[in-house]
Amino acid sequence: MKGLLQVLGASALVLGSTQALAQPVGLWNTEDNQGQVEVSPCGEKLCGELVWLAEPMDSSGQPKLDQHNPDESLRDRPVQGLRILWDMQPAGDGQTWENGKVYDPESGKTYQGKITLDGADVLKLRGFVGAPIFGRTSTWTRAEAPGAAE
């Protein structure tokens, strides 16, 4: 019995450390390497902020603004620093967070969203309207450091 408890305890330790590694929390390069998103806990859920842009300035040398936002009062916010993911909730499988929202500053549209880890270093973000079948998936890679995306 003592041996069985030791094996179960060791298994729990290994599973716990594996699960800790497979978390979406951290810095991610966007699919086109034009930005980086910092995914972090927001209570029991996950959020993500656009913390770096390859081109943060517009043609006049001013910070790019959230000019397509449907709320006119928010159009003067810089795109760099925007929260673009929120309310992502664990699905219970240790790899998927769902029932969240995704904001696209290029269009000003907000979509339903979910994120799925594919290993420790690949995150698939699915934005959709209605059902996941009516959407698009963007593949992000874990960033080594803030700043220039690889």
Side-chain angles (χ1 to χ4, degrees):
M1 183 68 157
K2 182 178 176 185
L4 177 61
L5 290 176
Q6 287 174 332
V7 169
L8 290 174
S11 297
L13 186 63
V14 168
L15 287 174
S17 64
T18 301
Q19 190 173 13
L21 290 175
Q23 289 289 321
V25 171
L27 189 62
W28 296 91
N29 294 318
T30 59
E31 187 168 77
D32 59 5
N33 287 324
Q34 295 299 300
Q36 288 181 332
V37 177
E38 181 74 36
V39 176
S40 58
C42 292
E44 299 281 320
K45 301 173 184 178
L46 293 176
C47 298
E49 292 183 5
L50 189 56
V51 295
W52 178 84
L53 288 171
E55 296 179 16
M57 303 297 186
D58 64 20
S59 59
S60 65
Q62 299 298 311
K64 286 184 179 174
L65 300 178
D66 189 16
Q67 64 185 356
H68 301 293
N69 196 303
D71 182 342
E72 289 183 26
S73 70
L74 299 177
R75 290 183 183 168
D76 61 347
R77 302 183 302 175
V79 171
Q80 187 166 311
L82 278 182
R83 179 169 285 175
I84 62 166
L85 299 174
W86 63 95
D87 288 344
M88 297 289 178
Q89 303 168 40
D93 63 3
Q95 294 178 296
T96 307
W97 287 257
E98 59 190 3
N99 299 320
K101 299 289 184 189
V102 181
Y103 177 68
D104 176 10
E106 290 182 10
S107 68
K109 294 184 179 179
T110 301
Y111 300 95
Q112 293 172 279
K114 75 178 198 173
I115 53 178
T116 305
L117 283 176
D118 186 0
D121 295 327
V122 175
L123 181 146
K124 296 190 179 217
L125 168 66
R126 182 87 178 155
F128 56 93
V129 176
I133 193 167
F134 302 112
R136 179 182 172 282
T137 299
S138 180
T139 302
W140 296 355
T141 54
R142 194 174 292 276
E144 294 291 321
E150 291 104 35

